[in-house]
Amino acid sequence: MRLSRTDDNRFAITKYDLNDKAVGQSTVFDLANMTPDRHGYYKIEELGLDIRVGDLNAFDQDDVFRFTPTAGAAANLSLHAKNGDALALSAPVGATTSSDNLSDARISVSSVSNTKPDSSAFAADGSLYPSAPHQIYFTSPSSYVVRDASGTEIASVNNVFQYSNLLEQAGLAKEAGFDVSISSMPQQGDEFSISTEDVGPSDNVNGLALINLQNQALVEGKASLTKAFAGFISYVGTKTAESAGHAKSSEVIMNDSINRRDRLSAVSLDEEAVNLMKYQQSYSASAQVVTAARTTFETLLGIMR
């Protein structure tokens, strides 16, 4: 991704693929219309990012910042839990169905999004604050109220047609940090309780949520981890095979070029050995001629004497 400043308060984030080519349109956001959190981070909903830009006076419109959110993610993984007992597979909060209920509806924790004591219903010791949702009471099959630990009503919902995420429908899920759902239509007077003491030894909400990660579109919002990993392996394999094919083709071309060069200018050891023998024999024959000529000349000189 690339972050650039377009004007005084506006920034643009552009996504790039593996070939460093821009993908889609840039996401433009105006800091003047956004509110940072207490740590100074601005939430970019479209990209699922929290960004802190610091002092705006330090930015020029020509400044460009590149960042890869997932860089080094796999390299920094390490193993801490070495047995199943060290895995926190249960939810930090539980929900129970009253035995006096008239319906067969069963309540369960559907999600846990936040357990921080300063921004959720969870206290520092892991329990729920007294003002947090502790009870859901159905005044009719299509309406219910949410009560705190003292039984005081903190929210009411009417015209209920689906029974999932009851706290979200009551506008309490974000501040509570968790949500609950029931399995079927309840009856008037049905009551359900929520408590950190209701977590049983067989609870596996976190374990199921962890397993379900493999089916969620977490990679670029359109592919699961399994699918993305398989695609990455396929991509690497294809590129490796392609590189190997190019290497073999290049080797054939190189060998052909070497052979062409050798036919024109290279030295053949066999041919040179034959030429040496030929020159040696010619030298010997020439030496015999010189010897014969010298002997003949000496003989003629002897006769003249």
Side-chain angles (χ1 to χ4, degrees), residues 276-286:
L276 285 176
M277 294 178 64
K278 185 191 300 183
Y279 297 149
Q280 184 180 12
Q281 291 176 359
S282 298
Y283 178 80
S284 299
S286 298

PDB file of all heavy atoms in Angstrom, residues 276-286:
ATOM      1  N   LEU A 276      51.010 -31.370 -36.649  1.00  0.00           N
ATOM      2  CA  LEU A 276      52.353 -31.459 -36.066  1.00  0.00           C
ATOM      3  C   LEU A 276      53.128 -32.659 -36.623  1.00  0.00           C
ATOM      4  O   LEU A 276      54.322 -32.553 -36.925  1.00  0.00           O
ATOM      5  CB  LEU A 276      52.244 -31.547 -34.537  1.00  0.00           C
ATOM      6  CG  LEU A 276      51.882 -30.237 -33.808  1.00  0.00           C
ATOM      7  CD1 LEU A 276      51.705 -30.517 -32.311  1.00  0.00           C
ATOM      8  CD2 LEU A 276      52.995 -29.195 -34.023  1.00  0.00           C
ATOM      9  N   MET A 277      52.429 -33.787 -36.735  1.00  0.00           N
ATOM     10  CA  MET A 277      53.086 -34.973 -37.298  1.00  0.00           C
ATOM     11  C   MET A 277      53.473 -34.730 -38.753  1.00  0.00           C
ATOM     12  O   MET A 277      54.547 -35.146 -39.208  1.00  0.00           O
ATOM     13  CB  MET A 277      52.155 -36.182 -37.177  1.00  0.00           C
ATOM     14  CG  MET A 277      51.880 -36.611 -35.737  1.00  0.00           C
ATOM     15  SD  MET A 277      50.727 -37.999 -35.629  1.00  0.00           S
ATOM     16  CE  MET A 277      51.680 -39.269 -36.458  1.00  0.00           C
ATOM     17  N   LYS A 278      52.596 -34.061 -39.487  1.00  0.00           N
ATOM     18  CA  LYS A 278      52.885 -33.765 -40.896  1.00  0.00           C
ATOM     19  C   LYS A 278      54.119 -32.867 -40.996  1.00  0.00           C
ATOM     20  O   LYS A 278      55.016 -33.088 -41.818  1.00  0.00           O
ATOM     21  CB  LYS A 278      51.675 -33.097 -41.531  1.00  0.00           C
ATOM     22  CG  LYS A 278      51.842 -32.849 -43.039  1.00  0.00           C
ATOM     23  CD  LYS A 278      50.718 -31.946 -43.552  1.00  0.00           C
ATOM     24  CE  LYS A 278      49.368 -32.608 -43.312  1.00  0.00           C
ATOM     25  NZ  LYS A 278      48.287 -31.764 -43.883  1.00  0.00           N
ATOM     26  N   TYR A 279      54.187 -31.827 -40.188  1.00  0.00           N
ATOM     27  CA  TYR A 279      55.322 -30.906 -40.209  1.00  0.00           C
ATOM     28  C   TYR A 279      56.609 -31.610 -39.782  1.00  0.00           C
ATOM     29  O   TYR A 279      57.700 -31.350 -40.302  1.00  0.00           O
ATOM     30  CB  TYR A 279      55.053 -29.718 -39.288  1.00  0.00           C
ATOM     31  CG  TYR A 279      53.859 -28.868 -39.730  1.00  0.00           C
ATOM     32  CD1 TYR A 279      53.086 -28.200 -38.792  1.00  0.00           C
ATOM     33  CD2 TYR A 279      53.555 -28.742 -41.098  1.00  0.00           C
ATOM     34  CE1 TYR A 279      52.014 -27.431 -39.187  1.00  0.00           C
ATOM     35  CE2 TYR A 279      52.476 -27.982 -41.487  1.00  0.00           C
ATOM     36  CZ  TYR A 279      51.705 -27.327 -40.544  1.00  0.00           C
ATOM     37  OH  TYR A 279      50.638 -26.565 -40.943  1.00  0.00           O
ATOM     38  N   GLN A 280      56.483 -32.557 -38.808  1.00  0.00           N
ATOM     39  CA  GLN A 280      57.666 -33.287 -38.351  1.00  0.00           C
ATOM     40  C   GLN A 280      58.235 -34.171 -39.459  1.00  0.00           C
ATOM     41  O   GLN A 280      59.459 -34.222 -39.671  1.00  0.00           O
ATOM     42  CB  GLN A 280      57.294 -34.136 -37.133  1.00  0.00           C
ATOM     43  CG  GLN A 280      58.491 -34.878 -36.522  1.00  0.00           C
ATOM     44  CD  GLN A 280      58.090 -35.722 -35.313  1.00  0.00           C
ATOM     45  OE1 GLN A 280      56.903 -35.921 -35.087  1.00  0.00           O
ATOM     46  NE2 GLN A 280      59.070 -36.175 -34.566  1.00  0.00           N
ATOM     47  N   GLN A 281      57.336 -34.848 -40.160  1.00  0.00           N
ATOM     48  CA  GLN A 281      57.793 -35.694 -41.260  1.00  0.00           C
ATOM     49  C   GLN A 281      58.401 -34.856 -42.397  1.00  0.00           C
ATOM     50  O   GLN A 281      59.402 -35.244 -43.015  1.00  0.00           O
ATOM     51  CB  GLN A 281      56.614 -36.533 -41.786  1.00  0.00           C
ATOM     52  CG  GLN A 281      56.139 -37.595 -40.787  1.00  0.00           C
ATOM     53  CD  GLN A 281      54.921 -38.348 -41.288  1.00  0.00           C
ATOM     54  OE1 GLN A 281      54.421 -38.051 -42.375  1.00  0.00           O
ATOM     55  NE2 GLN A 281      54.472 -39.304 -40.502  1.00  0.00           N
ATOM     56  N   SER A 282      57.814 -33.699 -42.668  1.00  0.00           N
ATOM     57  CA  SER A 282      58.373 -32.830 -43.723  1.00  0.00           C
ATOM     58  C   SER A 282      59.764 -32.332 -43.328  1.00  0.00           C
ATOM     59  O   SER A 282      60.688 -32.248 -44.170  1.00  0.00           O
ATOM     60  CB  SER A 282      57.442 -31.623 -43.951  1.00  0.00           C
ATOM     61  OG  SER A 282      56.175 -32.060 -44.399  1.00  0.00           O
ATOM     62  N   TYR A 283      59.911 -32.022 -42.037  1.00  0.00           N
ATOM     63  CA  TYR A 283      61.214 -31.577 -41.560  1.00  0.00           C
ATOM     64  C   TYR A 283      62.253 -32.689 -41.691  1.00  0.00           C
ATOM     65  O   TYR A 283      63.399 -32.446 -42.121  1.00  0.00           O
ATOM     66  CB  TYR A 283      61.096 -31.128 -40.099  1.00  0.00           C
ATOM     67  CG  TYR A 283      62.399 -30.692 -39.503  1.00  0.00           C
ATOM     68  CD1 TYR A 283      62.906 -29.408 -39.749  1.00  0.00           C
ATOM     69  CD2 TYR A 283      63.127 -31.562 -38.687  1.00  0.00           C
ATOM     70  CE1 TYR A 283      64.115 -29.032 -39.192  1.00  0.00           C
ATOM     71  CE2 TYR A 283      64.326 -31.178 -38.140  1.00  0.00           C
ATOM     72  CZ  TYR A 283      64.830 -29.902 -38.390  1.00  0.00           C
ATOM     73  OH  TYR A 283      66.026 -29.519 -37.851  1.00  0.00           O
ATOM     74  N   SER A 284      61.858 -33.921 -41.350  1.00  0.00           N
ATOM     75  CA  SER A 284      62.791 -35.058 -41.468  1.00  0.00           C
ATOM     76  C   SER A 284      63.190 -35.287 -42.926  1.00  0.00           C
ATOM     77  O   SER A 284      64.366 -35.554 -43.238  1.00  0.00           O
ATOM     78  CB  SER A 284      62.145 -36.317 -40.881  1.00  0.00           C
ATOM     79  OG  SER A 284      61.848 -36.147 -39.503  1.00  0.00           O
ATOM     80  N   ALA A 285      62.186 -35.209 -43.825  1.00  0.00           N
ATOM     81  CA  ALA A 285      62.495 -35.410 -45.254  1.00  0.00           C
ATOM     82  C   ALA A 285      63.436 -34.325 -45.761  1.00  0.00           C
ATOM     83  O   ALA A 285      64.394 -34.586 -46.517  1.00  0.00           O
ATOM     84  CB  ALA A 285      61.195 -35.414 -46.066  1.00  0.00           C
ATOM     85  N   SER A 286      63.184 -33.092 -45.342  1.00  0.00           N
ATOM     86  CA  SER A 286      64.058 -31.986 -45.764  1.00  0.00           C
ATOM     87  C   SER A 286      65.466 -32.184 -45.226  1.00  0.00           C
ATOM     88  O   SER A 286      66.462 -31.901 -45.915  1.00  0.00           O
ATOM     89  CB  SER A 286      63.491 -30.641 -45.275  1.00  0.00           C
ATOM     90  OG  SER A 286      62.217 -30.414 -45.841  1.00  0.00           O
TER      91      SER A 286
END
